[in-house]
Amino acid sequence: MSASRSVLARLGGALALVSLGPWALAASLDVSTAYKLRAINYRDVELTEKPSNLSYMSQNAQLGFGVKNIELTGGAGPEPATMDMALSLRAVGLTGPIAASTGPLGHPFDRIAQFYPNANFIPFIENAYVRTHGLFGYPVDLTIGQQPYTVGSGLLLADDGVGLPGVSARGALPWWDMKLDGYVFQPHAAPFNAGNTPGSLMIYGISLEVPSEGTWQFNEMVEREMNGQLIELPSPRAQNAPFYPSSSLNGYPVSKAVRSFTSVHYQISYGPMFFDGEAAMEKGSATPIGPGALCTDANGAGPFCAPNRITFNGNAEVLRAKWKIPIKGQDGIARLTAARGSGANVTRPTTDTAFFPSHGHRFDGLERSGFGDFFQATPYDAFGGHSTSTASGLTPGVSGILSVGIGFTPPAYKGITFDFDYWLFQADRSTTADRNLGHETDIRARYGFRDRFNITASAALFSAGTATNPLRPSARRYMLEFAGRF
């Protein structure tokens, strides 16, 4: 904790110096805080029909400082150039005996904890950036540093509370009120120009926003990754012992992978109806390591040599719609959601057809964020219980997820809002005839105080399908959440 106190002390000193500057009267200081405490109970969390009862409390806290409208000299436009500076800290972690006995998070939650710089409720820097407005007389906002960023609906890219280090820019075009965004991020700390550095990842792209009756957004994003990843592909070697001795995954380690994602995102709010949809394609190629050392499996069987080149060819779609329904002079809300991501095609052993961006929206604190309160599915991964050896979290040989949900929120009763949702989950691809991943019923009650303090209680009742576990066990998730912000 001494390190976190040092960070806060330096931050306080910096803010004190800033407040004494000559521009203090023109600039404004914003301080924001947020805290969320969740008490969660899982029944049969690993979906194995073994008696299990896991209970814990998770915390998610944020403290942010921002100085806005700092006037800059040297602007060439009609309006003065200004600058904003922001710094925010976040801490995620658990309370109670589970934190002391099994570390920050045990199996199968460890994958979520690995996403954050620290999961022991020790503060880390979430955002630290400088943003300029109207620099050199151009109507462009330039942001430099570790920043919050989301592309479209989050299907392709989202920071999920850790910030993305790099540079982004947003400006207005002189035609039809269009806006253009560009960005270059490096989520992994390894230098991109060090070709043999494990886990180096760079993400860059552009987005064009075109207003019409709704709002269209056209996105092009590229991921360049060097070393450290395993491409999962179905092939004849799946019937043999693990192909690569250092892992039980059915896949090829690669030295370089380049993926390009193209998507169209559309939003419209028309009277009592709201619609949000996004469709995306994934292309690209990867270079496997080898092939000399990879021509046999762990037991020496073969030949199963790595191909000279692996190609990517996936796609995904997410559609959300909701509309108001008048009930006795008040409005209820009905909603429909459908999402799909392509899975791996067993007939194409050198093409990865499973749609899977590296930093799509997946996490909210130490819990997943997706479709269904228990399964928490995205088009490309889900909370698969015991099946954590695959990138998707699903049973080996199953990939790509189709999620369909219907829900209804009746008018509030004495200030309490109830949500009812039903979800069906199915695999897009499977090496067997089983594609049923399960179904889920969610019930939620919410009570809010002026959007500053909220209490939420929920129950998620999940029944596994045969593609998740042939025994089709049932699982439960109960949650009580307290959240405040200012």
Side-chain angles (χ1 to χ4, degrees):
M1 294 300 292
S2 60
S4 61
R5 291 194 190 100
S6 177
V7 171
L8 290 173
R10 276 182 261 171
L11 174 61
L15 290 174
L17 290 176
V18 165
S19 65
L20 296 176
W23 40 264
L25 295 178
S28 61
L29 173 63
D30 290 340
V31 179
S32 62
T33 60
Y35 178 77
K36 183 185 298 181
L37 177 68
R38 286 179 171 177
I40 298 178
N41 174 261
Y42 278 98
R43 306 289 177 90
D44 193 14
V45 65
E46 295 192 359
L47 301 175
T48 58
E49 278 199 330
K50 294 180 180 179
S52 63
N53 189 338
L54 176 63
S55 299
Y56 63 90
M57 298 178 71
S58 70
Q59 302 179 87
N60 189 343
Q62 184 183 34
L63 175 63
F65 301 89
V67 183
K68 297 183 177 181
N69 300 322
I70 305 170
E71 291 192 9
L72 303 175
T73 59
E79 299 294 332
T82 61
M83 178 178 70
D84 304 335
M85 299 185 69
L87 175 64
S88 65
L89 305 177
R90 182 180 291 271
V92 296
L94 302 184
T95 65
I98 185 174
S101 61
T102 62
L105 277 177
H107 175 78
F109 301 93
D110 47 356
R111 179 173 296 182
I112 304 174
Q114 292 170 2
F115 177 76
Y116 296 94
N118 186 289
N120 293 291
F121 206 60
I122 297 175
F124 58 86
I125 294 179
E126 176 186 8
N127 296 313
Y129 61 85
V130 174
R131 177 173 294 156
T132 63
H133 309 275
L135 204 62
F136 303 116
Y138 294 101
V140 176
D141 295 340
L142 178 67
T143 307
I144 303 170
Q146 187 161 315
Q147 57 196 274
Y149 203 90
T150 300
V151 172
S153 64
L155 177 65
L156 302 186
L157 180 66
D159 65 285
D160 278 355
V162 297
L164 292 170
V167 179
S168 67
R170 177 178 176 84
L173 298 179
W175 312 285
W176 306 311
D177 295 326
M178 294 190 299
K179 294 180 175 60
L180 184 67
D181 291 63
Y183 53 90
V184 178
F185 298 122
Q186 190 171 17
H188 295 179
F192 178 71
N193 58 6
N196 294 321
T197 302
S200 176
L201 174 66
M202 179 172 283
I203 301 175
Y204 55 90
I206 58 174
S207 299
L208 177 64
E209 185 178 296
V210 181
S212 60
E213 194 168 342
T215 300
W216 293 89
Q217 187 182 61
F218 303 91
N219 305 299
E220 183 68 28
M221 186 184 82
V222 177
E223 295 182 354
R224 295 179 61 91
E225 188 165 4
M226 308 294 288
N227 277 2
Q229 72 163 323
L230 200 72
I231 305 290
E232 296 178 28
L233 286 173
S235 74
R237 70 185 185 285
Q239 306 302 321
N240 294 274
F243 179 69
Y244 191 57
S246 65
S247 174
S248 61
L249 288 174
N250 176 37
Y252 299 110
V254 299
S255 61
K256 181 177 69 173
V258 179
R259 299 179 178 88
S260 65
F261 297 86
T262 304
S263 80
V264 178
H265 180 220
Y266 180 68
Q267 282 185 320
I268 186 172
S269 181
Y270 186 78
M273 179 179 175
F274 173 80
F275 174 82
D276 183 310
E278 185 169 9
M281 295 187 304
E282 176 186 359
K283 301 289 184 180
S285 63
T287 305
I289 298 174
L294 300 179
C295 285
T296 60
D297 62 20
N299 294 331
F304 301 114
C305 297
N308 294 326
R309 185 170 178 264
I310 295 172
T311 58
F312 299 104
N313 188 10
N315 56 82
E317 304 82 28
V318 178
L319 304 175
R320 299 181 180 90
K322 61 182 180 180
W323 56 96
K324 296 179 181 179
I325 299 177
I327 300 177
K328 295 183 178 180
Q330 300 184 66
D331 286 332
I333 298 177
R335 54 188 167 272
L336 173 65
T337 304
R340 172 196 163 271
S342 60
N345 189 342
V346 69
T347 65
R348 304 178 66 179
T350 62
T351 300
D352 186 0
T353 57
F355 182 89
F356 209 130
S358 299
H359 273 265
H361 175 54
R362 302 161 65 194
F363 303 114
D364 177 19
L366 291 182
E367 285 77 46
R368 287 185 52 87
S369 177
F371 306 118
D373 286 348
F374 178 91
F375 205 51
Q376 294 285 7
T378 69
Y380 31 85
D381 67 346
F383 182 83
H386 66 287
S387 302
T388 56
S389 62
T390 61
S392 64
L394 304 178
T395 303
V398 177
S399 63
I401 301 174
L402 171 63
S403 305
V404 177
I406 57 174
F408 179 66
T409 300
Y413 175 74
K414 294 185 177 181
I416 303 175
T417 301
F418 293 92
D419 302 316
F420 304 92
D421 292 275
Y422 180 75
W423 295 92
L424 289 173
F425 304 103
Q426 181 175 320
D428 182 67
R429 294 278 184 176
S430 176
T431 54
T432 68
D434 295 329
R435 293 190 180 184
N436 180 18
L437 295 174
H439 60 89
E440 177 176 336
T441 300
D442 298 336
I443 303 172
R444 190 180 305 106
R446 298 177 284 123
Y447 193 92
F449 300 84
R450 296 182 179 270
D451 294 329
R452 296 296 185 185
F453 182 71
N454 296 276
I455 302 174
T456 303
S458 67
L461 315 177
F462 180 80
S463 296
T466 51
T468 300
N469 186 335
L471 299 177
R472 305 189 67 177
S474 297
R476 303 288 185 265
R477 175 185 183 267
Y478 303 101
M479 185 198 73
L480 177 62
E481 175 187 284
F482 301 91
R485 64 176 183 173
F486 175 74

